[in-house]
Amino acid sequence: MTVRSNNVKIHVSHLQKSFGDLEVLKDISTDIYEGEVVVILGPSGSGKSTFLRCLNRLEEFQSGEVVVDGYNMADKKIDINKVRENIGMVFQHFNLFNNLNVLKNLMLAPVDLKKADKETAKKQALAMLEKVGLSDKADAYPHQLSGGQKQRVAIARALCMNPDIMLFDEPTSALDPEMVGEVLQVIRQLAAEGMTMVIVSHEIGFAREVADRAIFMDGGYIVEEGTPEEVILNPKEPRAIDFFNKVL
Amino acid sequence: MINILTVYGQLLIKALGQTLLLALLGLFFACILGIIFGIMSVLKSKVCRVIQQVFVDIIRGVPMIVLAFFIYFGVPYAFNNLLGVRMVLTALQAGTIALALNCGAYMSEIIRAGIQSVDVGQMEAARSLGLSYWRSMYRVVMPQAIRTMIPTIINQFIITLKDTSILSVIGFPELVNTAKTVVANTMDSFSVWAIVGVMYLIVITTLSKVAKALERRLSYDRKK
């Protein structure tokens, strides 16, 4: 558990998003504070991932407000690339750059965006690899790594931009069960360091352990929101009760 | 056959040179066209995608011999007689344009397919780190797309090289055109066409061997 401050990092109000005729997010409002760890739970198709992807505008939304770090994400005039530099994202399928080795995966963005010169970027990349326990894999290519290693590299890659928010889109869903632990360990460590994180996950136990707040989504709405204990163990809404009965 | 080689060998080699010159010029401009139209076809803009589709449909739907006649005879005719502007195209210019348009259309399709074969997650990951669309394209998507494109592109190069023979119809002195003259002089069509065939064979086989080597060097995720 981390201590949250009173600075709102991410402000979402009445967010609405459709893919064609399909309305995926109907009316989402919430505030996420600096240093807070929020886990989003819910059945498939409830809009969890879409919601997460709206936070760095990987998905454009139709109406509502998303303010991250003071930037209004709906505003076409903001430099979205600059805003994204401060929002790390980790994907379900890792998405490591297949054409680059691990070290270059980590160095690409900092060097390309002139955040650091090559030497500094390399030092930082090696430090991050050590942090996720993969110092020996700097020269390996993504296809030579296991799923758990790939995801840890992906986390290290995001951290190399020194983001102050991290978004995780089902970071362990594509992993073999035995590799889930090593990835969760890295996320746990980030939580302890006070990183602001939004995690879409199906790991209920992990959510209870690491999250300051849990959000249960269904059908494009936030159905329940509160401490993990409240949401997971004592849900009030029938849809949430039903869901947690099945997964617990 | 030896006789023909000694007497006309040099002429045929020179004609092969002309064939290669035409092919290289055509391929050069075809690459430019292919890249422009290929990228247009993966852009969000519907106008760009429609333009590429129309271009490809027209070129695919017209035989190259018709295209060559149209450019060599039709276009200057239109300029001179309908627009009143004097214009002449040399056979090399017209041939280059015909080849470039023809090969460019196919190249744009190869490039489109190559880019689309790269998982969208690669672009998303790059964008999420703060790279712009074009930087992500350049640093992440294109390097991966090119690897999958190389065999098909080389194949298209070979087809284009062979297609230069079609341009003998507009009088460009490439290998086939020259060979026809040699046949007319010697009456030995067996030897002449055999020699010409072997010449094409040598050039194209060399090209495909180079392609194979290149492909192997560029692969990073293929099991040895």
Side-chain angles (χ1 to χ4, degrees), chain A residues 53 84 95-96 112 143, chain B residues 122 124 127 135 139 220:
Chain A
R53 290 160 61 86
R84 282 180 182 150
N95 297 351
L96 293 184
D112 209 82
H143 69 97
Chain B
Q122 297 285 312
E124 287 184 348
R127 296 305 310 272
R135 289 307 287 174
R139 297 300 302 269
Y220 48 82

Side-chain angles (χ1 to χ4, degrees), chain B residues 118-134:
Chain B
V118 178
D119 182 55
V120 290
Q122 297 285 312
M123 173 61 93
E124 287 184 348
R127 296 305 310 272
S128 79
L129 288 164
L131 269 70
S132 69
Y133 177 84
W134 291 108

Side-chain angles (χ1 to χ4, degrees), chain A residues 15-219:
Chain A
L15 172 62
Q16 189 268 332
K17 154 88 191 164
S18 307
F19 291 105
D21 290 336
L22 184 68
E23 196 177 23
V24 181
L25 300 178
K26 291 184 176 129
D27 183 7
I28 304 278
S29 299
T30 191
D31 283 325
I32 293 164
Y33 294 87
E34 190 174 353
E36 199 179 19
V37 178
V38 176
V39 172
I40 303 176
L41 304 160
S44 308
S46 59
K48 314 180 292 283
S49 290
T50 307
F51 169 58
L52 194 74
R53 290 160 61 86
C54 284
L55 299 182
N56 65 354
R57 215 167 85 186
L58 272 187
E59 297 294 351
E60 309 225 331
F61 46 91
Q62 276 78 21
S63 68
E65 206 180 21
V66 175
V67 181
V68 180
D69 272 339
Y71 292 99
N72 180 0
M73 301 299 263
D75 185 354
K76 294 281 179 205
K77 278 179 293 220
I78 60 167
D79 182 353
I80 187 66
N81 298 324
K82 264 272 169 287
V83 182
R84 282 180 182 150
E85 286 179 12
N86 286 320
I87 313 172
M89 187 164 202
V90 174
F91 299 85
Q92 182 178 0
H93 295 288
F94 331 121
N95 297 351
L96 293 184
F97 304 135
N98 295 322
N99 55 322
L100 302 173
N101 68 19
V102 167
L103 191 61
K104 288 189 175 144
N105 259 276
L106 269 60
M107 288 168 60
L108 175 70
V111 174
D112 209 82
L113 298 167
K114 306 205 165 44
K115 286 254 152 186
D117 60 73
K118 271 198 175 156
E119 271 314 300
T120 322
K122 188 174 174 184
K123 254 186 228 148
Q124 192 197 16
L126 290 171
M128 286 301 170
L129 279 183
E130 193 172 348
K131 183 172 179 168
V132 299
L134 290 170
S135 297
D136 54 328
K137 297 290 182 192
D139 297 322
Y141 275 84
H143 69 97
Q144 296 165 320
L145 302 176
S146 72
Q149 290 170 335
K150 280 184 198 168
Q151 196 60 300
R152 284 187 282 155
V153 171
I155 295 172
R157 177 176 68 181
L159 291 175
C160 279
M161 289 298 288
N162 298 313
D164 41 38
I165 298 168
M166 285 285 283
L167 309 175
F168 291 85
D169 189 4
E170 305 199 25
T172 57
S173 298
L175 297 178
D176 290 342
E178 56 178 333
M179 291 169 183
V180 170
E182 62 191 59
V183 172
L184 293 184
Q185 185 50 42
V186 174
I187 301 176
R188 203 175 278 128
Q189 195 187 337
L190 285 176
E193 289 168 10
M195 176 71 80
T196 309
M197 297 197 282
V198 186
I199 307 168
V200 171
S201 180
H202 292 295
E203 301 288 333
I204 308 282
F206 177 71
R208 282 179 61 188
E209 174 203 332
V210 82
D212 298 306
R213 182 152 51 110
I215 289 176
F216 176 80
M217 281 181 66
D218 186 45

Side-chain angles (χ1 to χ4, degrees), chain B residues 30 33 55 59-60 62-64 67 96-107 156 159-160 163:
Chain B
L33 283 178
F55 172 61
I59 296 298
R60 242 202 307 238
V62 176
M64 199 166 77
L67 188 66
T96 303
I97 295 170
L99 272 185
L101 286 175
N102 189 65
C103 179
Y106 292 106
M107 288 277 283
Q156 186 58 45
I159 292 171
T160 302
D163 278 353

